[in-house]
Amino acid sequence: MAVAAAVHGGYLPSKFRSISGKTVSQSKPTPPPLFISTNPNDVIPNHLKNLYSLCNHSCHRFPKLNSEGRVEPVDLNKLRKALHHSYIVVSVFTRPAFVPGLVPELAPSLTGIGGDWIGKVVPVTPSNGELVGFGRAVSDSGLTAAIYDVMVIPSLRRRGIGRKIVQRMLRILVNRDIYDIAALCSDQEKPFFRACGFGDDVLASTTMMYTRSASADSEDEQIVKYAGRKLLLAPSLRGNLKT
């Protein structure tokens, strides 16, 4: 009704444009049929590992990159542990036909005598769908929570799927009376999380990452060394040699 009134008044809303006499919408593409699950058992670790690879997403703050800029594959055993200990796990599935590049032999077959019409009317489920999105939250179950690893396959991005993942986690956390919710993200991911309702901390707090053991050594007496994949500041060995 509002659109019709505006058109009759000689004004066309900005999201509509006339091209060759046809009115088209400039809105974002709509997402395909989705099934959003909060059941961790719906996530097969091997499939999730493949999703990490498709999204070029790493669990590490300092991932190793190959010559093509691809991150190293996620450790499957650590991924299983992370899933098991996550407070909330959200997974998104769609029909394989909506996933470009999917090998047909790997896609669940729903075709029959009537052709592929069965696949078009059967609802999407984790058993017949393809994993295309994921996100998880960790929490102490009472006071605070943090959101990690929100990802959507590149071919289906900018269709609102990532926001659906975050909104589902937020709804669950708020319903459990948890309101202190953080999202650890890069500068490139900040606009996305701002669009999901996140903002700068009103207390102006800054995330600090553990880098070294507590020590009275001055900065001049510290040395830099590797601990796993991270660079850490550690006390100088000179102090130990003196004693």
Side-chain angles (χ1 to χ4, degrees), residues 1-196:
M1 180 66 74
V3 172
V7 172
H8 285 300
Y11 170 78
L12 192 62
S14 59
K15 73 174 183 176
F16 291 97
R17 292 292 184 268
S18 179
I19 301 178
S20 300
K22 296 181 180 179
T23 301
V24 297
S25 173
Q26 291 186 335
S27 59
K28 295 180 181 178
T30 57
L34 302 174
F35 182 92
I36 302 179
S37 170
T38 55
N39 183 355
N41 295 326
D42 287 335
V43 180
I44 300 175
N46 278 315
H47 293 182
L48 181 57
K49 180 180 178 180
N50 292 337
L51 182 64
Y52 272 79
S53 178
L54 287 171
C55 297
N56 200 30
H57 184 86
S58 176
C59 299
H60 304 295
R61 288 178 54 79
F62 303 100
K64 296 179 180 179
L65 304 176
N66 62 18
S67 59
E68 298 178 350
R70 306 290 300 180
V71 301
E72 60 182 322
V74 62
D75 185 286
L76 194 57
N77 290 327
K78 290 187 176 182
L79 185 58
R80 288 194 179 98
K81 291 180 181 178
L83 283 173
H84 178 72
H85 292 286
S86 294
Y87 188 63
I88 298 173
V89 171
V90 177
S91 51
V92 182
F93 301 84
T94 190
R95 295 193 183 99
F98 290 95
V99 185
L102 182 66
V103 180
E105 304 88 58
L106 300 180
S109 178
L110 291 175
T111 59
I113 298 176
D116 63 351
W117 67 271
I118 297 180
K120 294 180 180 179
V121 299
V122 172
V124 180
T125 66
S127 60
N128 66 27
E130 183 76 11
L131 181 65
V132 297
F134 177 81
R136 67 188 184 95
V138 297
S139 175
D140 56 16
S141 303
L143 297 175
T144 64
I147 293 175
Y148 292 90
D149 299 333
V150 177
M151 67 188 88
V152 177
I153 62 171
S155 59
L156 294 181
R157 288 175 184 169
R158 301 192 65 81
R159 300 194 183 193
I161 299 176
R163 183 178 294 194
K164 290 178 184 292
I165 294 172
V166 174
Q167 288 175 340
R168 184 64 60 93
M169 287 190 283
L170 292 176
R171 188 180 307 122
I172 294 173
L173 291 169
V174 171
N175 286 341
R176 296 176 183 177
D177 206 26
I178 299 174
Y179 296 93
D180 191 348
I181 306 169
L184 187 62
C185 60
S186 64
D187 288 338
Q188 292 79 10
E189 295 168 331
K190 279 184 178 181
F192 165 75
F193 280 100
R194 288 189 185 278
C196 293

